Amino acid sequence: MTRRAEAADMPHHGEIKTPDRLRRRASRLLSQMSAQSDRLINEGLAQADAHKWHYAVLASLQEHGPGSQATLSRRAGIYRSDMVGVLNELAERGLVGRAPDPDDRRRNVITITAQGRRHLRRLDKVLDDLHDQLLAPLAPAERDQFVQLLTRLLDHHTQQAPRPPRIP
Amino acid sequence: MTRRAEAADMPHHGEIKTPDRLRRRASRLLSQMSAQSDRLINEGLAQADAHKWHYAVLASLQEHGPGSQATLSRRAGIYRSDMVGVLNELAERGLVGRAPDPDDRRRNVITITAQGRRHLRRLDKVLDDLHDQLLAPLAPAERDQFVQLLTRLLDHHTQQAPRPPRIP
DNA sequence: CGGGTTGCGTTAGTCGCACTAACGATGTAC
DNA sequence: GTACATCGTTAGTGCGACTAACGCAACCCG
């Protein structure tokens, strides 16, 4: 209070770097957009009685073939502790088979069933639609670029970086 | 088992749409990248004894001047319920002032202090560094484009969309 | 052979963040 | 003056990411 008047609370013009720096911070944009995306996707998948993780597991099975739970866990980026429940749900609905591996009795071998493949096709459609909503404001070329930028960033921070854990 | 051999689990070539569709889904990229970003930022800010929300509040105060808690809440995208704790922490450290509004006795008027401004300057530097790490693999022009794409997406999903809540 | 390390599936639980519900106190509109 | 909205605050939910510890099976190496 002793120093001059209290005009000090208003933006300091003459010292401007970025007006609106809050809204432009990539970290904020990422977390807010991720929340928005999560909401959209979860709602959409819920209407198909599904879950993000179901899709991830089924898609990874379809693309890389059967595998142990730990393998799937790494492929799909889901922790083994969470994988248990996901596979329970998928197995209950007959979308995957879970059988002990005769060659290594610690493992379960997970395979996708015909019904699972059918379900995956449905989910793929649902997700195509949802991503169309998600990326609505971007032109096709921009969508590709967006995905490409994100991919490069993610690769940088997962693969070679000594950043914290990545499905340990 | 009764139907031919079990080659049915491998990827169906001849039906390929996108190989690797899991990894290319924007929703997945967003959530994974957001997690990575959160980790990086939180760690960095923790070393400065700070928090994402502290920065958001201080920056919004600096840019738009003082305001009630509810106003700040809307400006910074933080729920009123969370704002209470954030302001307690900031006030404890003498970074903001919190005084009852004489014109409307429901409100508290929050102002940034000189010390708060100093702290904000520090945080801005820290965040600049962290974002440099975050966006390391992108060239300057690409960083701008990334931010611009994210901004457009976020605007679309917050402003005009009847999507769920945005600080109600 | 035997003993240590490593990987497996499972259970339980933590932490942080977005978000809701409800409260008393105050202000606004009709 | 009565109904309704808004404010700050407390408490609590739900979910996703993540950790710890378990018993078991397999592998390594001396």
Side-chain angles (χ1 to χ4, degrees), chain B:
Chain B
M1 270 299 187
T2 50
R3 284 193 184 282
R4 315 201 186 145
E6 279 297 304
D9 292 323
M10 294 310 289
H12 263 202
H13 292 287
E15 204 190 45
I16 284 185
K17 275 184 152 187
T18 316
D20 230 7
R21 59 201 197 276
L22 228 197
R23 246 172 233 134
R24 302 209 126 77
R25 290 281 184 197
S27 56
R28 277 187 77 79
L29 291 168
L30 269 173
S31 76
Q32 292 186 177
M33 196 52 215
S34 169
Q36 213 67 26
S37 158
D38 275 11
R39 186 177 1 259
L40 184 70
I41 301 291
N42 287 337
E43 276 176 13
L45 285 180
Q47 286 182 357
D49 185 36
H51 193 283
K52 274 160 58 154
W53 292 341
H54 298 178
Y55 177 75
V57 168
L58 291 177
S60 127
L61 278 174
Q62 169 102 328
E63 287 181 13
H64 301 97
S68 71
Q69 299 189 188
T71 306
L72 289 186
S73 168
R74 285 183 285 261
R75 292 208 297 229
I78 301 172
Y79 279 77
R80 299 186 301 189
S81 26
D82 299 325
M83 183 62 74
V84 183
V86 177
L87 289 179
N88 286 341
E89 290 170 9
L90 291 176
E92 265 175 20
R93 299 168 203 201
L95 305 177
V96 302
R98 189 202 241 146
D101 186 342
D103 297 352
D104 183 342
R105 292 199 319 248
R106 293 172 302 177
R107 289 179 163 90
N108 288 337
V109 182
I110 312 298
T111 51
I112 188 170
T113 64
Q115 210 181 5
R117 253 172 263 122
R118 223 174 305 132
H119 190 64
L120 176 56
R121 244 171 285 140
R122 267 186 66 225
L123 293 189
D124 251 322
K125 285 217 167 139
V126 172
L127 281 177
D128 283 346
D129 275 10
L130 291 172
H131 279 80
D132 219 55
Q133 293 177 42
L134 184 64
L135 303 176
L138 305 188
E142 292 174 321
R143 302 184 185 191
D144 287 352
Q145 235 215 344
F146 183 61
V147 166
Q148 205 238 9
L149 292 172
L150 271 176
T151 304
R152 280 168 56 198
L153 284 174
L154 194 58
D155 283 354
H156 173 84
H157 286 283
T158 49
Q159 278 172 209
Q160 64 195 37
R163 276 283 125 223
R166 191 66 270 177
I167 314 297

Side-chain angles (χ1 to χ4, degrees), chain A residues 62-76:
Chain A
Q62 169 102 330
E63 287 181 14
H64 301 98
S68 72
Q69 300 189 187
T71 306
L72 290 186
S73 167
R74 284 182 286 261
R75 293 208 295 230

Side-chain angles (χ1 to χ4, degrees), chain A residues 97-117:
Chain A
R98 190 203 241 144
D101 185 342
D103 297 353
D104 184 341
R105 290 197 323 242
R106 294 171 301 176
R107 289 180 164 90
N108 288 335
V109 181
I110 312 298
T111 51
I112 189 169
T113 65
Q115 209 181 3
R117 253 172 262 123

Side-chain angles (χ1 to χ4, degrees), chain A residues 10-91:
Chain A
M10 295 309 291
H12 264 202
H13 292 288
E15 204 191 45
I16 283 183
K17 275 186 149 183
T18 315
D20 230 8
R21 57 200 197 277
L22 229 197
R23 245 171 234 134
R24 300 210 127 76
R25 290 281 184 198
S27 56
R28 274 186 80 78
L29 290 169
L30 269 173
S31 76
Q32 291 186 178
M33 195 53 215
S34 169
Q36 213 68 27
S37 159
D38 273 12
R39 191 184 348 269
L40 184 71
I41 301 291
N42 286 338
E43 277 175 13
L45 285 180
Q47 286 182 357
D49 185 37
H51 194 283
K52 273 160 57 153
W53 293 339
H54 298 178
Y55 177 75
V57 168
L58 291 176
S60 128
L61 278 173
Q62 169 102 330
E63 287 181 14
H64 301 98
S68 72
Q69 300 189 187
T71 306
L72 290 186
S73 167
R74 284 182 286 261
R75 293 208 295 230
I78 301 173
Y79 279 77
R80 351 197 267 277
S81 27
D82 299 326
M83 183 63 75
V84 184
V86 177
L87 289 178
N88 286 342
E89 291 170 10
L90 291 176

